[in-house]
Amino acid sequence: MFIVSLIKISSILLSIVGVLFAIPLGFAFYYGETSVYLSFIIPMAVSFVFVLAVNLPTRKFKITMNTRQTFLIVALSWVVISFMGAIPMYASKSIPRFVDALFESVSGFSTTGSTILSEIESLPKSINMLRCLTHWIGGMGIVTLTVALMPLLGVGGFQLIKAETTGPEKGKVTARITTTAKILWLIYLGFTAAETIALRIAGMTFTDALSHAFATLGTGGFSTRNASIGSYDSVAIDVIIMIFMFFSGINFSLYFYIITRKFRDITTNSEFKAYLLIVAALIIGVTISLRKVYGTFGETLRYSSFQVVSLMTTTGFSTADFMKWPAVSQFLLFVTFFIGGCSGSTSGGVKVIRWLVLGKQVQNETRKMLHPHGVFAIRLNGRPGRKDIVFNVAAFMVVYFGLVAVTTFVGCLGNLDVWSSFTGALSMVGNIGPGYALLGPTENFGFLPDFVKYWYSFAMLAGRLELYTMIIYFLPVYWEK
């Protein structure tokens, strides 16, 4: 029964990705890129045949799954779509080696944005569109999209979304999970359309505008230009992308509260307020540290704010090589590697809410030292938080930085220096994109040995799925009856 459910859901996911392949295929037709037609058409056709072959004989079969099976379904789904995303890149010979195509696909779907490519502008425009589209699909989540489009997954849909979405606090903004998924995707679509129009007005071509809107809203960071956003040298484009990166780092449930005029739920949201304060503090700090680098205050603020927001939201776009900035600036940007955006956003990283919980727990422990008989609770959003949330966060932190340590070691085995390995590991697990030193913002990951690329691909998927969904299978407890 579970195997049938797994195959049915996988076929549906593949067919949805196949439908979305029509977007880059359309651009291939528009630009006359005949060499890539079959690279899209064949996987699309195979996915459609597969979904029909699986679902027609089992159309009366009701999908069922328990908690253990839910984790496996979500993990395998992301692995399968990553392989599917690699096919057009490899088959079109845009990326000649399959390990590189798989790395690029995983980096896209996981919204990491690290690339093995040194020359991007020479790629077919449809392939570049595909790269950015993977960010957009992975940002909100392919399983979330499936739940929104396929009512047959209404049963168990919340468990699927919980296994895919980010942050320790997961809930529904409406009573029905399918309605919640649809609302979140409609908000996502609205932001994408708005940014595409704004970038088009600011001077980008429609193809570049749509590509960068996909990459921005998914907080991924793939660009159609070798020098990323810096190649446009446009204040208007910088500001537009920075604003939408900032918006993408916020819990998307808050936008639903704006629509429904539940403004109190926004003003009392502890994570949102902390997010604002952290971003503002880092922008001020980096701006001050760059005061002698750029000619005017406006120029300094432009570059500092863009890079802070880009790394804080784990997007990874760049308008300057921050490795050439003063050490203080580099340190403040490095701090963002440990934070990330808000839970329920498309950003990666540890998430602001977890640091907020730990900070409040430290405060409570201090109070207990002064008042041994006192009873103190963590308050979030103006209300007492779950009693187990501290243990949840603490366990996550151990697993998170444990994976960072292992990934750092793998990088060292691949002949990276310790600093490059460590920042690269933080980038992979946090889905950030650039690292420092050999993996800095102007470098790429193409020179790494194959085994490092495979491990980095695993680390990126683990980071995107909040670790447990990818690593739980390595624990004996998962296989216990």
Side-chain angles (χ1 to χ4, degrees):
M1 299 265 303
F2 166 65
I3 295 298
V4 176
S5 297
L6 174 62
I7 294 174
K8 280 177 70 72
I9 292 174
S10 298
S11 69
I12 294 167
L13 286 165
L14 285 175
S15 66
I16 291 174
V17 175
V19 169
L20 292 172
F21 273 7
I23 297 175
L25 178 60
F27 280 90
F29 281 125
Y30 179 78
Y31 287 105
E33 296 170 342
T34 56
S35 61
V36 304
Y37 289 173
L38 291 179
S39 302
F40 289 109
I41 293 173
I42 291 176
M44 289 173 68
V46 170
S47 68
F48 297 150
V49 171
F50 181 53
V51 75
L52 291 174
V54 169
N55 286 274
L56 286 179
T58 61
R59 59 186 178 278
K60 294 182 180 180
F61 179 87
K62 185 177 180 180
I63 291 176
T64 58
M65 68 196 86
N66 57 35
T67 302
R68 187 186 310 243
Q69 293 164 348
T70 297
F71 282 105
L72 185 59
I73 285 173
V74 172
L76 288 177
S77 297
W78 278 77
V79 171
V80 167
I81 65 170
S82 295
F83 273 93
M84 186 171 179
I87 291 172
M89 302 181 199
Y90 177 67
S92 66
K93 295 184 172 56
S94 298
I95 300 179
R97 301 180 69 242
F98 186 76
V99 60
D100 291 337
L102 180 63
F103 181 95
E104 199 79 4
S105 178
V106 171
S107 181
F109 281 114
S110 65
T111 73
T112 305
S114 301
T115 182
I116 52 85
L117 297 166
S118 57
E119 176 54 50
I120 296 171
E121 294 175 26
S122 62
L123 289 176
K125 294 185 183 298
S126 55
I127 295 296
N128 264 328
M129 178 62 69
L130 171 65
R131 294 170 66 245
C132 297
L133 178 64
T134 58
H135 281 333
W136 191 76
I137 297 170
M140 186 60 70
I142 183 63
V143 174
T144 307
L145 177 60
T146 304
V147 172
L149 296 179
M150 305 301 294
L152 62 90
L153 294 180
V155 177
F158 185 51
Q159 284 71 32
L160 283 170
I161 290 180
K162 280 178 67 178
E164 181 183 65
T165 50
T166 61
E169 295 283 352
K170 308 175 199 243
K172 310 173 187 178
V173 297
T174 65
R176 290 175 55 83
I177 191 60
T178 51
T179 304
T180 295
K182 289 175 183 175
I183 288 171
L184 293 177
W185 266 95
L186 285 173
I187 293 170
Y188 197 49
L189 282 166
F191 273 134
T192 305
E195 186 181 358
T196 301
I197 294 169
L199 290 175
R200 183 73 184 89
I201 293 172
M204 280 191 181
T205 64
F206 174 74
T207 304
D208 279 2
L210 182 60
S211 298
H212 286 94
F214 283 159
T216 303
L217 270 299
T219 60
F222 279 158
S223 176
T224 59
R225 299 291 187 92
N226 293 332
S228 190
I229 307 303
S231 66
Y232 293 97
D233 194 23
S234 166
V235 175
I237 289 174
D238 288 0
V239 170
I240 291 166
I241 289 180
M242 182 177 65
I243 289 172
F244 281 96
M245 285 192 298
F246 179 80
F247 286 165
S248 299
I250 297 171
N251 190 325
F252 272 68
S253 298
L254 298 188
Y255 299 122
F256 176 75
Y257 297 144
I258 292 175
I259 295 171
T260 55
R261 299 189 176 185
K262 295 180 180 179
F263 299 114
R264 179 172 173 75
D265 289 323
I266 300 171
T267 57
T268 60
N269 188 278
S270 303
E271 184 180 33
F272 176 60
K273 290 187 286 187
Y275 175 71
L276 289 176
L277 287 173
I278 294 170
V279 170
L282 288 171
I283 288 176
I284 292 170
V286 175
T287 300
I288 292 172
S289 68
L290 290 178
R291 64 189 184 280
K292 295 182 180 180
V293 176
Y294 296 101
T296 64
F297 173 75
E299 191 178 18
T300 304
L301 182 62
R302 169 190 170 186
Y303 288 105
S304 63
S305 57
F306 185 96
Q307 208 58 64
V308 166
V309 173
S310 178
L311 292 179
M312 179 74 178
T313 60
T314 72
T315 307
F317 281 140
S318 63
T319 53
D321 183 3
F322 57 79
M323 292 303 299
K324 296 179 179 178
W325 286 358
V328 173
S329 305
Q330 292 186 40
F331 172 78
L332 291 174
L333 292 177
F334 180 59
V335 169
T336 64
F337 280 51
F338 294 88
I339 304 174
C342 298
S343 59
S345 70
T346 59
S347 295
V350 172
K351 303 294 185 302
V352 172
I353 186 65
R354 291 192 175 96
W355 289 114
L356 187 61
V357 167
L358 291 180
K360 287 178 177 289
Q361 183 61 20
V362 169
Q363 189 177 48
N364 283 347
E365 293 297 327
T366 305
R367 287 173 176 169
K368 286 179 182 178
M369 292 176 65
L370 299 174
H371 307 284
H373 301 293
V375 178
F376 305 99
I378 288 178
R379 297 185 65 82
L380 296 171
N381 307 332
R383 300 184 298 273
R386 289 193 341 252
K387 291 183 180 180
D388 65 333
I389 194 169
V390 175
F391 301 106
N392 178 302
V393 170
F396 177 88
M397 290 295 200
V398 171
V399 176
Y400 187 93
F401 287 107
L403 183 58
V404 168
V406 173
T407 305
T408 300
F409 177 67
V410 172
C412 291
L413 289 177
N415 293 321
L416 288 175
D417 62 89
V418 175
W419 183 233
S420 297
S421 296
F422 179 55
T423 56
L426 286 171
S427 181
M428 295 297 99
V429 180
N431 304 137
I432 297 166
Y436 276 48
L438 296 176
L439 302 177
T442 60
E443 308 298 331
N444 66 75
F445 290 66
F447 68 94
L448 295 173
D450 288 354
F451 76 90
V452 176
K453 291 173 185 174
Y454 281 122
W455 180 263
Y456 275 10
S457 297
F458 169 78
M460 287 188 283
L461 285 179
R464 171 59 183 84
L465 297 177
E466 296 277 270
L467 305 184
Y468 292 108
T469 303
M470 285 299 293
I471 68 173
I472 196 171
Y473 321 103
F474 300 99
L475 304 176
V477 68
Y478 179 82
W479 302 102
E480 293 176 0
K481 293 185 178 180

